[in-house]
Amino acid sequence: MKLVYVFDAYCGWSHGFSGTLREVVSRHPDLPVEVVSGGLFTGPRRVPIREFGYVQGANAHIAELTGAEFGEGYERLIADGSFVMDSEAAARGVAALRHVAPGRAAELAAVLQHAFYVDGLGLSEAATYRKTAEAAGLDADAVVAAFEGPEAPGAAAEDFHRAAELGVTGFPTLLAVDGDHVTPLARGHATADEIDQRIAALRTP
């Protein structure tokens, strides 16, 4: 059995779930974790953030429910409403980090969301991935090369296809996958204890 975490780096609820995911992963070191980008803001949804009037209210609710931080850097970044959340670029970045440090994919997904939602760094910028890689002790040149390389768009598309193949339509979604059996453990929000109970039920003969 393994865990599959389907999220979007530009999804506030995914940011709110980061702490829960960290706790679940720490409690279950025996379970591999596959991280998949879902593609929330692509195509016609790739528009200035002002088009999504609900964002600030949703963020306040997420912070209240999960304790997630929305920092001053983020508030400055989106203040004039012109910032465009591009999930394809973010997925290329997630894939680049995953390529260089596959065993740390869940940790790095959370770090990337912190870079956006706290520090206010855009996830379409190579400089963001260089900074993230350096802070994580990774080969920053390798990460940037993977983000900007010719295979990057294909890696993002593969993630979007994988999410659709798993039947995921909302983010974040945490799944337990055992062969052909796919069991939802969390959608949107859940505590680590709740997820533990679901994992334990799957492991009970």
Side-chain angles (χ1 to χ4, degrees):
M1 185 169 74
K2 69 176 178 177
L3 302 177
V4 180
Y5 179 54
V6 187
F7 87 122
D8 191 283
Y10 278 127
C11 167
W13 284 104
S14 295
H15 175 51
F17 193 74
S18 293
T20 296
L21 182 67
R22 189 180 306 113
E23 180 65 23
V24 171
V25 170
S26 72
R27 291 183 188 184
H28 300 278
D30 57 311
L31 292 178
V33 185
E34 176 187 352
V35 174
V36 180
S37 292
L40 184 57
F41 299 103
T42 58
R45 286 176 61 81
R46 196 158 36 187
V47 296
I49 199 168
R50 70 170 70 91
E51 302 288 325
F52 303 101
Y54 58 82
V55 166
Q56 294 295 73
N59 289 348
H61 181 49
I62 293 163
E64 182 182 357
L65 188 64
T66 70
E69 180 184 359
F70 294 84
E72 291 180 7
Y74 166 74
E75 298 295 347
R76 282 194 299 272
L77 179 69
I78 68 165
D80 71 355
S82 65
F83 182 79
V84 176
M85 295 181 289
D86 180 351
S87 290
E88 192 273 344
R92 286 192 281 120
V94 170
L97 290 164
R98 189 176 60 209
H99 173 72
V100 173
R104 297 173 65 186
E107 167 202 345
L108 293 168
V111 169
L112 205 54
Q113 294 212 276
H114 187 281
F116 174 60
Y117 278 110
V118 180
D119 300 333
L121 302 178
L123 304 182
S124 295
E125 312 301 326
T128 298
Y129 299 100
R130 180 171 294 282
K131 183 174 181 179
T132 300
E134 288 172 349
L138 303 178
D139 183 337
D141 288 340
V143 170
V144 171
F147 173 67
E148 297 181 328
E151 296 179 357
E158 282 179 20
D159 268 28
F160 298 161
H161 177 73
R162 173 76 167 139
E165 187 179 60
L166 289 165
V168 174
T169 56
F171 315 110
T173 295
L174 183 65
L175 305 168
V177 177
D178 192 356
D180 293 333
H181 298 284
V182 178
T183 306
L185 297 174
R187 287 193 179 101
H189 174 66
T191 66
D193 287 344
E194 289 168 343
I195 293 167
D196 264 2
Q197 289 171 6
R198 292 161 194 164
I199 291 173
L202 289 173
R203 287 177 154 168
T204 303

